Amino acid sequence: LACPMQNIFVSLKKALLNNGLPPCFTMPDDKINVYRFIKDEDVQKIFAKVFDHRTVQACHKLSTRGLFDVVEFLVNVGKEAHVFRARDVSGGFRAVKIYKVETSDFKHMDKYLIGDERFRHVRKDKREIVYAWTKKEHNNLDLMNLAGIRVPLPMGFYENILIMEFIGFEGEAAKTLFA
């Protein structure tokens, strides 16, 4: 059985490929009419919190790079991001972490960037801070992997989306350290 989230992303991906822009976008205010593709009320709420116009475009870009093919379902929710399980074209699993931009309730994110020379030129704009945060997490995971620390292997990022190795067994996500 296909889950509702998977059907949404397949529909959006086809729309992006066919038209360059999904028909569910209303351009004047960049709001997504999620009801066009989503009938399940719980899925509508998740979609509305995470997927603004630019995030859907970023998903498409990462997908066309081959980092994943289909986003399947929500794995975990945090105060700053949602993590989804995705599959690549060969059927392998990926973790897709999408940082919330418009609906983020993670206060003072910029304080975590202060003192890191790699991010000294980041503006105080919320979107730019979230993008820098995504890049920082990717770079830190990369550094930890190089040091031999067992963390998810980062595979790529773009704007507010980080693609990582999926940690789990037979498609089931591993428990978090705090679970």
Side-chain angles (χ1 to χ4, degrees):
L1 285 174
C3 83
M5 207 66 165
Q6 183 174 356
N7 293 336
I8 295 161
F9 284 99
V10 170
S11 297
L12 285 173
K13 186 173 180 183
K14 285 179 184 173
L16 280 165
L17 291 173
N18 293 336
N19 306 321
L21 189 67
C24 62
F25 285 117
T26 56
M27 292 310 292
D29 58 354
D30 281 347
K31 298 291 182 201
I32 298 173
N33 177 6
V34 296
Y35 302 102
R36 183 164 187 146
F37 289 107
I38 309 168
K39 302 301 179 209
D40 184 291
E41 202 171 304
D42 291 335
V43 177
Q44 287 175 358
K45 289 176 186 174
I46 293 167
F47 196 90
K49 284 183 180 179
V50 179
F51 296 97
D52 59 21
H53 174 79
R54 290 186 64 172
T55 300
V56 172
Q57 295 274 352
C59 274
H60 175 66
K61 185 169 190 149
L62 289 166
S63 178
T64 57
R65 285 186 192 165
L67 292 173
F68 68 90
D69 186 46
V70 176
V71 174
E72 295 182 311
F73 55 85
L74 184 65
V75 173
N76 197 3
V77 176
K79 59 185 172 186
E80 76 274 355
H82 284 58
V83 179
F84 298 87
R85 187 183 85 177
R87 286 187 184 257
D88 61 18
V89 291
S90 66
F93 298 114
R94 300 279 188 263
V96 177
K97 187 171 188 176
I98 303 176
Y99 289 93
K100 296 182 273 186
V101 177
E102 301 301 326
T103 61
S104 174
D105 58 358
F106 185 51
K107 306 288 189 247
H108 312 295
M109 189 181 270
D110 61 325
K111 290 180 183 174
Y112 291 91
L113 299 173
I114 293 172
D116 190 330
E117 285 299 309
R118 298 173 293 178
F119 303 98
R120 68 180 178 272
H121 298 295
V122 175
R123 297 185 315 236
K124 296 282 185 191
D125 171 71
K126 186 176 186 178
R127 185 172 293 278
E128 290 300 315
I129 291 169
V130 171
Y131 293 175
W133 182 266
T134 306
K135 181 178 181 179
K136 181 174 181 161
E137 182 165 354
H138 177 275
N139 292 349
N140 288 344
L141 287 170
D142 210 23
L143 288 171
M144 286 185 271
N145 267 288
L146 290 171
I149 300 169
R150 294 178 59 184
V151 295
L153 179 67
M155 299 178 163
F157 73 95
Y158 181 69
E159 294 185 352
N160 60 319
I161 303 172
L162 174 62
I163 311 298
M164 301 175 284
E165 168 188 22
F166 182 82
I167 304 295
F169 182 71
E170 294 182 359
E172 187 75 26
K175 293 185 187 253
T176 61
L177 294 174
F178 302 104

